[in-house]
Amino acid sequence: MNDQDYMRCALELAQQAREAGEVPVGAIVVKDGEIIGRGFNQPIRGSDPTAHAEIMALRDAARFLGNYRLPGCTLVVTLEPCVMCTGAIFHARVERVVFGARDPKTGVGGSVINLYAETRLNHHANQITGGVLEDECSALISDFFRARRKANS
């Protein structure tokens, strides 16, 4: 499988978030070609502000490996990570991050700032790749918020 295939898996999880009334973001963690962690946004249903897709996928992968460190892993997420998720990615020692849609409001993989390039931080993902299936990822989020605005007007 390649980055696009993995992103399609993350998009399926994002659909689950959408169906649950959450912002449609999905994430997976991959190690040695195997998906070892899955997550989607669920802060509303879980009353948990930390329940972003990335955090849920990292927790799932850590349970799978029996270790809070995830060396050699790739995190694939449909939306550019925020500062909270990036902190967790760094602490978990994730090697690579792949994201779909850019987030001009809270994205820290280059949209607002680039924490991944900040040399003063102790840990980093070795590689970040943005824009994978960007159109599909962006459309899913845009459609969600368009429908929400329409329902509230």
Side-chain angles (χ1 to χ4, degrees), residues 7 98-102 129-135:
M7 188 61 73
V98 176
F99 68 86
R102 301 195 183 278
T129 303
V132 176
L133 298 184
E134 186 170 14
D135 292 342

Side-chain angles (χ1 to χ4, degrees), residues 1-21:
M1 291 179 65
N2 60 30
D3 288 349
Q4 290 81 12
D5 296 326
Y6 290 126
M7 188 61 73
R8 286 183 188 92
C9 294
L11 278 163
E12 288 176 16
L13 291 162
Q15 286 291 354
Q16 290 181 38
R18 181 184 185 132
E19 290 164 11

Side-chain angles (χ1 to χ4, degrees), residues 79-142:
L79 183 66
E80 181 180 358
C82 70
V83 68
M84 175 185 70
C85 293
T86 296
I89 289 164
F90 288 178
H91 285 292
R93 307 298 197 269
V94 169
E95 184 174 314
R96 183 167 177 255
V97 175
V98 176
F99 68 86
R102 301 195 183 278
D103 186 348
K105 295 183 179 180
T106 65
V108 298
S111 290
V112 175
I113 60 172
N114 189 349
L115 286 181
Y116 296 84
E118 179 51 64
T119 58
R120 294 174 294 178
L121 294 173
N122 192 25
H123 303 289
H124 294 87
N126 292 335
Q127 183 182 2
I128 183 165
T129 303
V132 176
L133 298 184
E134 186 170 14
D135 292 342
E136 293 93 325
C137 294
S138 294
L140 182 62
I141 292 172
S142 296

Side-chain angles (χ1 to χ4, degrees), residues 34-98:
E34 179 184 359
I35 297 173
I36 63 166
R38 292 171 174 80
F40 59 86
N41 267 8
Q42 41 195 308
I44 298 168
R45 99 174 176 187
S47 299
D48 180 355
T50 69
H52 287 194
E54 299 96 320
I55 302 293
M56 304 308 288
L58 291 171
R59 288 175 181 163
D60 195 35
R63 280 190 296 271
F64 179 85
L65 293 177
N67 190 347
Y68 73 105
R69 299 281 196 224
L70 303 173
C73 290
T74 297
L75 180 120
V76 180
V77 60
T78 58
L79 183 66
E80 181 180 358
C82 70
V83 68
M84 175 185 70
C85 293
T86 296
I89 289 164
F90 288 178
H91 285 292
R93 307 298 197 269
V94 169
E95 184 174 314
R96 183 167 177 255
V97 175
V98 176

